[in-house]
Amino acid sequence: MPESLFGEDVIVRTIARIVAPFIQLFGLYVLMHGHISPGGGFQAGVIIASSFILLALALGLPESKERFKKTIRLPMESSGPLIYASIGVTCILAGGYYLQYGMAFLFPPHVVSAILISAVEIGIGITVMAMIVTIFYSMAGD
Amino acid sequence: MIWGPDLFILAILVVLAIAAVISRDLLVATVIFSGYSLLMALAYVQLNSPDVGFTEAAVGAGVTTVLFILAISRTARMEEA
């Protein structure tokens, strides 16, 4: 990876550092409003991952990897499908089909449905975010 | 559906697609493709499909461009004849 791709400009570094938390906040908004408005787990994961890509382009690859280590990324990649599958199996155990929300739980069906949809979206978002960042890191050179 | 803006967007999409294919400089082609994705997202929103437009804007114009530029930096920039 040529060093010239990663800028040393102080303006770029400062702007990226200021903007990155807001991009992540917007990603969380898209994640939590996915069942009401356009968006959802995949889009939110891509948005949050793009904030990490911005940090890597502005601050340089080693500093960005220091903030998002492989020991954190690997469990995040595999925890998303685990959340998804466990919620689906929970719906089977509650007496419905796979991922059939709102079966016989303690709360009314629409409340259970809203909570479980949000949980599934969070699982998808975690996996997509970690996977895209990992693809970027491995393409940029380890 | 509004005919004027839709036809305008679609016409620019055709021009950008031809330009991206013709261009010998792969970096230029990548940037043109990024603009193509942005206009494609506008077209999707125009066609009452904001979810697909959202995905197109985030993946097509954002992540894919970065991955293409990384791939170019690993290989040659100019397309061989």
Side-chain angles (χ1 to χ4, degrees):
Chain A
M1 176 54 50
E3 266 312 304
S4 59
L5 192 63
F6 301 113
E8 297 293 320
D9 193 5
V10 66
I11 296 176
V12 173
R13 290 173 66 97
T14 312
I15 293 293
R17 233 177 230 174
I18 293 172
V19 162
F22 290 101
I23 297 176
Q24 290 167 356
L25 191 65
F26 180 64
L28 287 178
Y29 162 76
V30 170
L31 185 65
M32 296 317 291
H33 281 249
H35 56 289
I36 304 170
S37 61
F42 184 79
Q43 288 91 339
V46 172
I47 289 172
I48 298 176
S50 71
S51 81
F52 283 102
I53 291 176
L54 174 69
L55 280 180
L57 289 178
L59 304 181
L61 203 54
E63 191 173 341
S64 168
K65 283 177 124 173
E66 188 67 27
R67 297 178 182 218
F68 202 24
K69 290 192 179 70
K70 195 172 187 180
T71 51
I72 305 172
R73 267 184 280 132
L74 279 179
M76 285 173 86
E77 283 166 14
S78 32
S79 68
L82 196 64
I83 293 173
Y84 194 99
S86 60
I87 288 175
V89 172
T90 307
C91 293
I92 293 180
L93 293 180
Y97 298 115
Y98 188 73
L99 287 178
Q100 185 185 9
Y101 309 117
M103 287 304 294
F105 283 112
L106 297 174
F107 302 106
H110 63 279
V111 177
V112 174
S113 177
I115 292 174
L116 289 188
I117 287 176
S118 294
V120 166
E121 299 277 359
I122 287 172
I124 297 171
I126 287 174
T127 302
V128 169
M129 188 259 285
M131 278 312 297
I132 288 181
V133 173
T134 302
I135 290 173
F136 172 76
Y137 281 167
S138 45
M139 276 193 78
D142 266 309
Chain B
M1 189 167 167
I2 311 163
W3 283 104
D6 273 1
L7 286 179
F8 184 64
I9 287 174
L10 291 177
I12 297 180
L13 276 178
V14 171
V15 173
L16 284 183
I18 293 173
V21 171
I22 285 178
S23 163
R24 277 291 165 85
D25 193 340
L26 292 179
L27 195 58
V28 171
T30 304
V31 174
I32 291 174
F33 190 64
S34 174
Y36 177 90
S37 291
L38 205 61
L39 278 177
M40 201 69 213
L42 276 182
Y44 281 137
V45 174
Q46 223 6 281
L47 295 171
N48 281 331
S49 167
D51 221 342
V52 186
F54 209 139
T55 311
E56 179 74 28
V59 178
V63 177
T64 313
T65 308
V66 174
L67 292 183
F68 278 164
I69 290 175
L70 280 178
I72 289 172
S73 77
R74 292 245 156 186
T75 57
R77 178 173 169 177
M78 303 303 290
E79 189 179 0
E80 292 172 7

